[in-house]
Amino acid sequence: MHPIKVRAETADDFRAIDVVNLSAFQGEAEAQLVSELRKSDRFIPDLSLVAELNGRIVGHVVLSRVPLHSSAGAVEVLALGPMSVVPSQSHRGIGSELIEAAVARAKPLCYSAIVVAGHPDYYLRFGFKPAKGWGVSANLSIPDDALTAMELVEGALSGGGEIEYPGLFKALF
Ligand SMILES: CC(C)(COP(=O)(O)OP(=O)(O)OC[C@H]1O[C@@H](n2cnc3c(N)ncnc32)[C@H](O)[C@@H]1OP(=O)(O)O)[C@@H](O)C(=O)NCCC(=O)NCCS
């Protein structure tokens, strides 16, 4: 297999990212969410990553800013997703490379934690853990078990609290 290159998106990639999301998900909601996130103040251009294979975009992941409200106040953490790999290239480790790259890039940007809503079995293998173990929940209609999280700074989630996903995500959850 040719090496995968993971890099930050550029404006030239938007259409290709749309195609990846439309092919990976059954429906337009995720592609729409990515477009809307780009326009929102939650968006971090350096954390919207594409996976390239032979110069073609075959995967995408976006991490955006969300507040974590606890009794100690509010801190900004990262919400991972949507994430997608084109079906013809899935199960080849591209999703794993995207997550590892996202975590590696988030750390130097000084974010203290990452949360993910959905597919807990997939994310646990990368070191994400059930968020409820820290007493962290989210304002989404998902089961408790579906929220996983990773501390980038030790103890960052120890105060628990609620992740406030922006309304944009309500189209998915
Ligand atoms: C989930 C997804 C991003 C994984 O990408 P990938 O490149 O296939 O991932 P990897 O090759 O690194 O890992 C594959 C493993 O992921 C797991 N996996 C794949 N899809 C999964 C899902 N929907 N739920 C749980 N685990 C899943 C499987 O265990 C698989 O292992 P296998 O290859 O031994 O069967 C990709 O399958 C996809 O785009 N799915 C549709 C969109 C989606 O559900 N996105 C995630 C939620 S936002």
Side-chain angles (χ1 to χ4, degrees), residues 20-21 23-26 30 58 60 80-87 89-99 116-123 125-126 172-173:
V20 170
N21 279 307
S23 67
F25 292 101
Q26 291 165 356
E30 288 80 5
V58 293
H60 175 250
L80 185 152
M83 161 160 152
S84 53
V85 171
V86 290
Q89 299 295 335
S90 67
H91 302 287
R92 297 181 185 189
I94 297 172
S96 303
E97 289 208 32
L98 278 168
I99 292 178
V116 192
H119 299 298
D121 294 346
Y122 184 61
Y123 294 102
R125 74 187 67 178
F126 303 105
L172 299 191
F173 302 101

Side-chain angles (χ1 to χ4, degrees), residues 16-128:
I17 293 170
D18 251 9
V19 172
V20 170
N21 279 307
L22 290 169
S23 67
F25 292 101
Q26 291 165 356
E28 294 180 8
E30 288 80 5
Q32 187 67 31
L33 172 57
V34 170
S35 300
E36 287 175 15
L37 269 176
R38 274 193 200 107
K39 292 181 241 155
S40 85
D41 60 0
R42 311 304 183 95
F43 187 65
I44 307 160
D46 286 342
L47 294 181
S48 184
L49 304 179
V50 294
E52 264 185 356
L53 177 65
N54 296 329
R56 286 177 207 277
I57 292 177
V58 293
H60 175 250
V61 65
V62 58
L63 287 79
S64 57
R65 278 189 280 268
V66 286
L68 167 63
H69 299 280
S70 73
S71 54
V75 291
E76 287 213 300
V77 299
L78 297 171
L80 185 152
M83 161 160 152
S84 53
V85 171
V86 290
S88 63
Q89 299 295 335
S90 67
H91 302 287
R92 297 181 185 189
I94 297 172
S96 303
E97 289 208 32
L98 278 168
I99 292 178
E100 282 159 16
V103 171
R105 285 167 185 242
K107 281 182 186 165
L109 295 177
C110 295
Y111 289 97
S112 61
I114 305 176
V115 296
V116 192
H119 299 298
D121 294 346
Y122 184 61
Y123 294 102
L124 292 174
R125 74 187 67 178
F126 303 105
F128 286 82

